[in-house]
Amino acid sequence: MTTEKRISVWVEDAERLADCVLGRAEGGEMLDVGLAGRLHDINPAVEARATVVSSDGLGSLRQQLEGGSAPLIESRPDLVVLSLAGEVGRFKAGNDPDRVVDEIRSDLVACIQLVKERSGARILVANLSTLDPDDPVYAYKERDSDPFVLVAHRLNLMLLGVSHDEGVSLIDIDRKIAEVGGGISVTAAARYNDVGCDTIASEMVRIIEDYGFLDDRPLMDQVGARGGSSE
């Protein structure tokens, strides 16, 4: 069957999100078949390409986008996948966690708005599993900084609000990992084994399919309460 539709996916890689997107033959470490192959399997007339780039965080991406010379925009993707996993390190001892969340939210919203305005790409943002096998938390007393589980909850809650306001889709890793079982899918904070990566990849495929990328129908718009959209 000849190719009738091409889909370009740009992925900002944080904490090996690449392993949830790329098959082993493409450089991933966990999946036999990556995101592009899964989309093609659903509709052989679709040729999908996933470009995975190392992420230095939302703040760095915002600077690139505001500077007007971002490789993301120059590549003209149909879909952009962002992640909150790379923002965890911004929560340091002595920092006000509410202020840090506000700063991350500002960077995320700026990135979303700039990508929509300059490329029209649909945007998916991955949250975090709140499970950290290396640090089971039973009490918060006498800790110098928030444990990962609390940081993840803060970021996930923030993302819910951004998804509502900006109209972007949430890749709910926390929910999907909980459904499959964190004990068999999470290896460390924000790191997943083959079971976890397969679960996340399947959820990404479901969202992309819902948007209409694999069908002969108009793509679903991303319209948030704020009024911004991808068209």
Side-chain angles (χ1 to χ4, degrees), residues 10 12 51 53 60-61 63-65 68-77 80 119:
W10 180 279
E12 289 281 322
T51 300
V53 297
S60 177
L61 178 61
Q63 290 180 352
Q64 291 181 31
L65 293 168
S69 60
L72 187 161
I73 300 301
E74 295 167 3
S75 73
R76 302 179 63 84
V80 173
S119 75

Side-chain angles (χ1 to χ4, degrees), residues 52-140:
V52 179
V53 297
S54 179
S55 173
D56 291 324
L58 294 171
S60 177
L61 178 61
R62 178 180 185 174
Q63 290 180 352
Q64 291 181 31
L65 293 168
E66 290 177 340
S69 60
L72 187 161
I73 300 301
E74 295 167 3
S75 73
R76 302 179 63 84
D78 301 296
L79 278 160
V80 173
V81 181
L82 306 177
S83 172
L84 295 181
E87 310 308 306
V88 173
R90 294 169 69 166
F91 293 83
K92 302 182 184 300
N95 288 352
D96 178 0
D98 292 331
R99 179 180 58 80
V100 176
V101 169
D102 288 343
E103 292 172 352
I104 295 171
R105 188 185 198 282
S106 175
D107 288 339
L108 176 59
V109 169
C111 290
I112 289 169
Q113 293 177 356
L114 288 164
V115 169
K116 284 187 175 185
E117 291 167 4
R118 298 182 183 179
S119 75
R122 272 59 179 177
I123 302 169
L124 315 181
V125 186
N127 69 7
L128 297 153
S129 167
T130 52
L131 176 64
D132 181 1
D134 297 324
D135 185 19
V137 177
Y138 303 102
Y140 297 112

Side-chain angles (χ1 to χ4, degrees), residues 3 14 28 35 48 55 100 125 170 174 178 220:
T3 298
L35 179 66
S55 173
V100 176
V125 186
L170 164 66
D174 194 33
M220 183 172 65

Side-chain angles (χ1 to χ4, degrees), residues 19-39:
D19 284 334
C20 303
V21 175
L22 301 177
R24 290 186 177 88
E26 302 165 303
E29 297 180 358
M30 297 294 173
L31 301 177
D32 291 329
V33 180
L35 179 66
R38 292 170 187 235
L39 296 175

